[in-house]
Amino acid sequence: MTRFFAIIRVTLIQLIGRRRSIGLLVLAAVPAGILLLVGLNVGDRETEEFFRTGALPLVLGVTVPIIAITLGAGSLGDERTHKTISYLALRPIRREVIAAAKLVAAWLASFLVAGSGAFLAAIVLGATVGSWDEMFAIMVATAITTLGFVAIMQVLGYITDRAVIIGLAYLLIWEGIVTGAASQVATTSIWRMGVSAYAGIVAGDHWGSALGLEARVVADLEDLLSGVNPGVWGAVVKVLGIAVVSVGALGVLMRDRDLVS
Amino acid sequence: MTSLSPAFVANPTIEITEISKWFGQKVAVSSVSCSFGPGITGLLGPNGAGKTTLLRMMAGLIRPSRGKLTVLDTNPRRDVTVFQRVGLVPEDDAVYGFLTGRQFVEYGAELAGVRNPSSAAAHAISAVGMGDAAERRIEGYSKGMRQRIKVAGALVNDPEVLYLDEPLNGADPVQRVRLIELFHQLAREGRTVVVSSHVLEEVEKMATRVIAMVDGRLAAAGDAAAIRAAFTDIPYRVRIDADVPRKLGSALLGQEVIRSVEVVDETLHVQTDDLGDLGRMLPSLARSLDIRLTMVQPEDLSLESVFRYLVHGQ
């Protein structure tokens, strides 16, 4: 376990101890800033509505994925780019263990950065509207969304130097356009897994009636879900499945492909 | 009893059989067979000869396209436990700049599963003489210091097999002497040390046995003295521009130090065994013949050409 935690420790410093994390932190804070501006200019009800229809999709569908894409791609990608992969890989550690430790580190880094933005948005909502009930839901949704994106991006980052560009294109085309338009494939959308967890937590087993949700609010969330059923455990199982496949795939890639070019 | 080819050793720790590596259409290493045992072996060759590719295959960083390779009786691509007993100093600047020297080496010890990482790191850092700079971030190190901290990182798990890819790059003369002494000490302790370099003098100082590569192939193997002798037998080529080149060429042909003379586009290309003798004799010869020399320039002295001479005799 020492090796596992050593990799996590160094990867965390590698990913968030750099200049790029400042830019990502600023990006993470954008939805909270917009929500604050809205909250200062409109009433509580409109602010709450904007949170669900504007800030939430901006957090889970834009800022969280962009942060997870950047840091996920860098977790093993940076090791290859900076040639330090030899220092890491030429050690008596199973490739899957390296991949798993890297995944946990990239997830933690992404959650720290993206989660701070989500947390800030929840605080703004609580401070302006007085509702603090949704903070837990949005943090869980952020954790789920970051894990899903990081797991995919880690593999991509290991394979190609253009992982971030490919990841952003994937976010725009598949996650943004295709799964939004075709409800049949919406269940594959990672950020909707986060929304599903969020909706599952705020509604519990009483979709539409828990926390006194009004029909209009349910309709807002249903728009975001694009046909995906709300439920935190379903979302957790899905992203854990993606994470396991990612670790397995990286194990195979690190064994069968050249570690350096 | 049959004698062993110079490319092989009696008690090998690394065995390479007909190994090749190609990247797309480019063949980097072609059908190389050799073995390495305890002591220092120099892997010598010009840039692009395939040394680094061979070393990377031996280290398990890249996969051979063809052939068989075992390190300590293990395929390094299949069994990661072998890395407990192996260390690599890559040619690349493969360091985490955001860590201090001590953190970097300690991280290596943790990854290797060393029982007491702090003490192992301190020992390795002291061996390369980096104790004073160990608490500074690597990004502020000079090239030579980075090189030494990489060596410490490779030594921290007390490896039986150590690969060093151009280990003296960037090191100042004092550091070079110290590193070379360290490598000798490791060899005396019975470790297998493989040093890759394109500088013959450097390899000579470190290795008793040399494997020379050219164009991805094994060009020569044997003890360092034999390789050096082969090198000194190689004639030097000199380009001479003069106002009457053919007259000078005829006169040069009668000189003992001259092997051959060729006139191409009114320029003389001379092969000589001794550059010094030619340099002393040429001005007086030209003066006696009333010939004006406009340029005398040694050519073809690159290591590549020397290796090519060894391989192809031209």
Side-chain angles (χ1 to χ4, degrees):
Chain A
M1 286 309 269
T2 310
R3 294 163 178 164
F4 189 78
F5 290 118
I7 296 172
I8 291 175
R9 188 187 70 233
V10 169
T11 308
L12 274 174
I13 305 172
Q14 185 174 21
L15 290 176
I16 57 179
R18 291 185 172 191
R19 226 172 296 157
R20 74 172 158 206
S21 59
I22 297 169
L24 293 178
L25 274 168
V26 171
L27 176 71
V30 167
I34 296 171
L35 186 64
L36 182 65
L37 285 175
V38 171
L40 291 174
N41 290 293
V42 298
D44 289 0
R45 198 180 178 84
E46 288 86 353
T47 305
E48 201 167 2
E49 189 183 337
F50 176 76
F51 175 76
R52 290 209 180 85
T53 56
L56 188 66
L58 192 59
V59 171
L60 296 179
V62 181
T63 60
V64 168
I66 288 175
I67 292 162
I69 283 169
T70 310
L71 297 180
S75 109
L76 269 166
D78 283 1
E79 300 268 7
R80 271 175 74 92
T81 309
H82 301 134
K83 316 275 187 192
T84 47
I85 188 104
S86 61
Y87 199 68
L88 174 66
L90 298 191
R91 304 289 175 182
I93 315 172
R94 282 187 57 199
R95 288 1 188 171
E96 285 79 7
V97 174
I98 294 176
K102 282 283 182 185
L103 178 64
V104 171
W107 176 53
L108 284 174
S110 302
F111 184 67
L112 277 173
V113 177
S116 63
F119 185 69
L120 212 56
I123 284 184
V124 170
L125 179 72
T128 52
V129 179
S131 161
W132 300 92
D133 298 331
E134 297 175 39
M135 184 177 278
F136 176 68
I138 194 168
M139 294 313 286
V140 170
T142 302
I144 285 172
T145 308
T146 48
L147 181 58
F149 277 104
V150 159
I152 290 177
M153 290 311 298
Q154 182 161 281
V155 180
L156 213 53
Y158 182 74
I159 297 172
T160 171
D161 294 339
R162 294 193 172 88
V164 173
I165 294 169
I166 296 170
L168 292 175
Y170 161 79
L171 176 66
L172 177 71
I173 297 166
W174 185 260
E175 294 278 336
I177 300 170
V178 178
T179 58
S183 59
Q184 301 92 322
V185 288
T187 49
T188 64
S189 162
I190 291 166
W191 82 275
R192 283 187 181 81
M193 292 174 200
V195 176
S196 159
Y198 171 85
I201 290 170
V202 295
D205 294 331
H206 312 284
W207 177 233
S209 61
L211 299 173
L213 293 180
E214 295 170 16
R216 183 173 47 81
V217 176
V218 172
D220 287 343
L221 287 174
E222 277 180 337
D223 276 352
L224 290 184
L225 284 165
S226 185
V228 179
N229 289 326
V232 67
W233 293 114
V236 168
V237 168
K238 275 189 204 169
V239 288
L240 283 179
I242 295 171
V244 169
V245 171
S246 161
V247 168
L250 273 168
V252 172
L253 286 170
M254 288 174 85
R255 260 192 303 277
D256 290 350
R257 280 169 61 109
D258 293 343
L259 289 161
V260 292
S261 50
Chain B
M1 202 173 94
T2 55
S3 65
L4 214 56
S5 150
F8 296 90
V9 293
N11 299 305
T13 43
I14 303 164
E15 290 181 273
I16 295 170
T17 313
E18 289 290 315
I19 207 168
S20 298
K21 178 69 185 178
W22 49 83
F23 300 99
Q25 297 291 310
K26 186 178 178 281
V27 179
V29 170
S30 176
S31 291
V32 169
S33 295
C34 57
S35 62
F36 300 82
I40 305 180
T41 303
L43 202 53
L44 184 67
N47 292 328
K51 306 182 304 291
T52 295
T53 304
L54 184 62
L55 212 62
R56 284 175 172 177
M57 283 193 282
M58 286 196 263
L61 275 177
I62 57 177
R63 191 179 169 182
S65 305
R66 185 183 290 163
K68 192 181 165 203
L69 186 152
T70 59
V71 178
L72 300 164
D73 297 321
T74 305
N75 178 350
R77 292 289 301 179
R78 288 285 151 208
D79 184 359
V80 293
T81 58
V82 76
F83 297 129
Q84 195 91 54
R85 302 155 71 193
V86 170
L88 167 73
V89 177
E91 185 185 12
D92 315 306
D93 203 12
V95 287
Y96 300 95
F98 54 86
L99 295 181
T100 67
R102 184 187 55 74
Q103 287 171 334
F104 175 74
V105 182
E106 215 169 290
Y107 180 47
E110 286 175 310
L111 294 177
V114 171
R115 201 175 292 258
N116 187 340
S118 303
S119 132
H123 183 73
I125 288 168
S126 150
V128 298
M130 284 289 290
D132 292 344
E135 299 305 326
R136 279 167 46 198
R137 281 189 178 200
I138 296 175
E139 61 198 4
Y141 282 7
S142 67
K143 188 159 172 56
M145 290 164 87
R146 283 170 187 239
Q147 205 66 19
R148 284 190 287 157
I149 210 70
K150 282 195 296 183
V151 174
L155 290 179
V156 76
N157 55 322
D158 199 20
E160 288 169 51
V161 174
L162 186 63
Y163 305 112
L164 307 164
D165 197 356
E166 308 277 357
L168 303 181
N169 269 2
D172 66 36
V174 177
Q175 292 164 0
R176 278 168 183 258
V177 170
R178 191 165 180 168
L179 282 174
I180 290 170
E181 178 46 39
L182 174 64
F183 302 150
H184 280 303
Q185 187 195 317
L186 294 168
R188 283 195 296 272
E189 290 166 3
R191 297 168 211 265
T192 300
V193 182
V194 184
V195 187
S196 150
S197 176
H198 63 280
V199 183
L200 176 63
E201 285 72 22
E202 211 171 87
V203 171
E204 262 187 319
K205 284 179 190 155
M206 291 186 271
T208 43
R209 179 171 173 258
V210 172
I211 285 183
M213 291 185 71
V214 182
D215 296 337
R217 293 173 183 277
L218 200 144
D223 63 55
I227 299 283
R228 160 57 77 183
F231 271 55
T232 49
D233 283 347
I234 296 169
Y236 296 98
R237 284 171 63 87
V238 180
R239 171 193 168 148
I240 302 171
D241 284 341
D243 55 355
V244 199
R246 286 173 195 281
K247 186 177 171 188
L248 180 61
S250 304
L252 280 171
L253 271 174
Q255 303 295 318
E256 204 178 321
V257 294
I258 302 298
R259 273 201 189 185
S260 69
V261 175
E262 204 180 355
V263 183
V264 179
D265 295 334
E266 298 305 305
T267 295
L268 283 170
H269 297 276
V270 173
Q271 281 201 332
T272 174
D273 291 326
D274 193 324
L275 271 180
D277 274 3
L278 177 68
R280 280 185 288 276
M281 170 270 288
L282 188 60
S284 54
L285 181 69
R287 212 167 23 247
S288 68
L289 296 170
D290 200 22
I291 292 172
R292 197 165 67 89
L293 298 171
T294 51
M295 184 199 281
V296 180
Q297 186 183 49
E299 56 181 3
D300 207 21
L301 269 176
S302 65
L303 195 60
E304 281 86 337
S305 65
V306 174
F307 276 107
R308 270 186 192 94
Y309 181 85
L310 274 176
V311 181
H312 307 296
Q314 60 185 23

